[in-house]
Amino acid sequence: MGEGSLLIIVTTLVIGFVIGIILNHFWPLFFKINNNNGSTTTIVIPKGTFGWPLLGETLSFLKPHPSNSIGTFLQQHCSRYGKVFKSHLFFSPTVVSCDQDLNYFILQNEDKLFQCSYPKPIHGILGKVSLLVAVGDTHKRLRNVSLSLISTIKSNPEFMNDVERTALQILQSWNSKKQVIFWEESRKFSFNVIVKQVLGLTPDDPQSATILQDFLAFMRGLISLPLYIPGTPYARAVQARSRISSTIKAIIEERRRRRKHGDGDSKRNDFLEILLCVDTLSEDEKVSFVLDSLLGGYETTSLLMAMVVFFVGQSQKALDQLKEEHHNIRSTKEKEELLNWEDYKKMDFTQKVINEALRYGNVVKFVHRKALKDVKFRDYVIPAGWKVLPVFSAVHLDPSVHVNALQFNPWRWESDEQICKKLTPFGGGSRCCPGFEIAKVEVAFFLHHLVQNYRWDVEEGEQPIAYPYVEFKNGLTIRLHQNCT
């Protein structure tokens, strides 16, 4: 490296450092707004720092950490500035909220004071009509269809039977195994369930394998650096989405052809069959709807299931109570009789375990919003146009909200007091995940057979890590011990 090149680098760093100092120290903590009567009002924005130019503090905010902790960035900023502070994240001035009341306020004022605002590259992968990024009337229309579909499916005996049979197939494949990589097993389970429920495909269907291969590329790109350069994970994800869309369109056309010629299966009641009868959705919206369903039913459900197994594997007391609850349910049924909706509603302690795994494991750390107007909350104002990040994990792990917050304790949910504020793993308000009950059914039915047949030990060193998406670096390897009775 020549002296001239070195001088350029040093000069650039110095200029960047100076600009960062200017932004941090001279960006106003106060704004003056003009009133209609000609007077001015001073408004205060939360304290904080903007970090480096352009990148701001994004890299520090996204630094990996155990998902059952809030991480160094939030610890330091909350200690220095309080639970609500300003920053510069994702190329935008941002207010970060680790406050229970503000988070709830944000979620309950969707499309009134705040609006979903995911980074543009996410739109490039998910598509413009995805339920996850749509806003306003489009989101309301798509969500109404989603809620209608899910209410039809979730307690349907055929769906519940498919879930249980898939769980039994997974567990039967463990008969000769001493250990399994559970995250792989949970993903296999959730994919087999969702692809059958959404598209009517079995795991042995060639189209299932094609969709899974493309879907894995899609998932890797969803959380990658957004550079559309051939060969990058992001570019591969965009291409994978295009291929998945083509596969889904081909399945839709084949389904329509069979219906037209009267050789379709009149007994089908999967998502796709119902979607074909919905006139309020365009063709692209139907394809996007299927992709959203696969995304939610695959990644979130499999991760939740892995979280439950990880935490219960370290709590003998919770495992014993789960085993007792499911033994009591099984004792009321014939040997080969499958579970039903009434059985699911009896799984009271199972629900507490799932809730606690969601709270302590934090499948979703935060969501993206922006302020539609100047929003006053307590003694400060969130300026219009600023990004707003309600951090769910910070409330879930807040000792002032949850006693012994850094302990796995399902029994804390014996009281339902203000649960909608204390626990927001699926978001809240009009953007609360519509399929959360389906995910819980799948996990509960899998647990029903798991705890009656196995005990397990989690390999030392395993831990869920937030990137901010969550994964188990070693795949959550567990050692299996078959129950004697």
Side-chain angles (χ1 to χ4, degrees), residues 393-407:
S393 58
V395 175
H396 292 165
L397 301 173
D398 188 339
S400 69
V401 177
H402 303 278
V403 178
N404 297 321
L406 299 183
Q407 292 181 10

Side-chain angles (χ1 to χ4, degrees), residues 416-482:
D416 292 336
E417 182 182 358
Q418 286 193 314
I419 191 171
C420 61
K421 286 188 176 183
K422 291 181 177 180
L423 185 66
T424 53
F426 298 104
S430 63
R431 297 195 76 94
C432 181
C433 175
F436 74 90
E437 194 75 65
I438 285 182
K440 287 187 172 184
V441 168
E442 292 181 33
V443 173
F445 277 29
F446 191 93
L447 278 176
H448 176 76
H449 293 284
L450 175 64
V451 299
Q452 292 184 90
N453 289 281
Y454 289 100
R455 292 174 293 107
W456 62 94
D457 300 315
V458 177
E459 284 285 336
E460 189 174 347
E462 287 284 10
Q463 198 169 35
I465 304 294
Y467 284 86
Y469 61 95
V470 180
E471 69 174 38
F472 289 87
K473 290 195 70 174
N474 299 319
L476 184 53
T477 300
I478 60 173
R479 295 185 298 276
L480 299 170
H481 311 282
Q482 282 194 316

Side-chain angles (χ1 to χ4, degrees), residues 100 129 172 207 270 277 299 325 339 355 389 471 483:
Q100 176 183 221
V129 292
Q172 286 164 6
Q207 286 178 312
D270 52 41
C277 302
E299 187 68 15
E325 177 170 272
L339 296 166
N355 282 344
L389 299 184
E471 69 174 38
N483 290 331

Side-chain angles (χ1 to χ4, degrees), residues 159-445:
F159 163 68
M160 305 190 91
N161 292 347
D162 284 341
V163 171
E164 189 169 6
R165 290 192 184 104
T166 305
L168 287 168
Q169 288 169 1
I170 296 290
L171 291 171
Q172 286 164 6
S173 72
W174 295 1
N175 284 342
S176 60
K177 297 179 179 179
K178 298 295 183 183
Q179 68 177 35
V180 295
I181 301 175
F182 188 79
W183 201 19
E184 289 182 1
E185 299 295 302
S186 66
R187 283 178 156 180
K188 186 191 306 180
F189 167 75
S190 62
F191 182 79
N192 290 350
V193 168
I194 199 65
V195 80
K196 172 73 161 55
Q197 198 54 49
V198 173
L199 295 172
L201 300 176
T202 65
D204 300 327
D205 195 301
Q207 286 178 312
S208 294
T210 300
I211 291 172
L212 178 59
Q213 184 176 359
D214 284 331
F215 199 72
L216 291 174
F218 171 83
M219 287 301 304
R220 284 192 290 270
L222 194 60
I223 41 78
S224 66
L225 192 65
L227 296 175
Y228 194 87
I229 300 173
T232 62
Y234 181 80
R236 288 174 181 162
V238 174
Q239 295 159 4
R241 187 195 189 282
S242 178
R243 290 193 298 270
I244 295 171
S245 296
S246 297
T247 302
I248 294 170
K249 286 178 181 177
I251 293 172
I252 289 175
E253 287 304 312
E254 176 63 16
R255 190 75 69 90
R256 282 189 175 134
R257 186 192 66 78
R258 290 184 177 182
R259 293 177 71 183
K260 182 178 180 180
H261 291 87
D263 59 351
D265 187 351
S266 60
K267 295 182 180 179
R268 283 184 183 271
N269 61 356
D270 52 41
F271 272 29
L272 188 56
E273 192 68 21
I274 301 172
L275 269 180
L276 292 177
C277 302
V278 178
D279 297 328
T280 57
L281 295 181
S282 68
E283 196 75 356
D284 285 341
E285 285 173 338
K286 289 178 181 179
V287 171
S288 187
F289 198 95
V290 171
L291 188 59
D292 289 344
S293 300
L294 291 173
L295 175 61
Y298 174 70
E299 187 68 15
T300 305
T301 303
S302 62
L303 185 53
L304 171 57
M305 200 156 77
M307 288 288 191
V308 170
V309 165
F310 174 73
F311 292 123
V312 170
Q314 300 172 74
S315 174
Q316 186 63 46
K317 183 180 177 183
L319 177 58
D320 289 343
Q321 190 162 336
L322 273 176
K323 185 177 178 181
E324 180 182 2
E325 177 170 272
H326 288 283
H327 174 76
N328 291 339
I329 292 172
R330 178 51 52 186
S331 67
T332 65
K333 307 181 77 65
E334 298 295 329
K335 185 176 181 181
E336 302 295 331
E337 187 180 356
L338 296 176
L339 296 166
N340 55 40
W341 185 254
E342 287 69 32
D343 296 321
Y344 171 69
K345 300 307 288 184
K346 294 175 185 175
M347 299 178 183
D348 182 62
F349 185 66
T350 302
Q351 293 292 334
K352 292 179 174 62
V353 168
I354 292 173
N355 282 344
E356 183 66 352
L358 287 166
R359 180 199 72 83
Y360 195 35
N362 295 294
V363 173
V364 177
K365 179 178 178 179
F366 63 95
V367 291
H368 294 257
R369 297 292 183 267
K370 71 175 179 181
L372 296 175
K373 59 182 74 173
D374 288 340
V375 179
K376 189 174 189 307
F377 188 84
R378 294 186 184 140
D379 297 328
Y380 48 80
V381 169
I382 302 171
W386 278 37
K387 182 177 282 290
V388 184
L389 299 184
V391 183
F392 301 150
S393 58
V395 175
H396 292 165
L397 301 173
D398 188 339
S400 69
V401 177
H402 303 278
V403 178
N404 297 321
L406 299 183
Q407 292 181 10
F408 179 75
N409 176 19
W411 297 272
R412 74 173 73 247
W413 300 110
E414 289 175 351
S415 169
D416 292 336
E417 182 182 358
Q418 286 193 314
I419 191 171
C420 61
K421 286 188 176 183
K422 291 181 177 180
L423 185 66
T424 53
F426 298 104
S430 63
R431 297 195 76 94
C432 181
C433 175
F436 74 90
E437 194 75 65
I438 285 182
K440 287 187 172 184
V441 168
E442 292 181 33
V443 173
F445 277 29

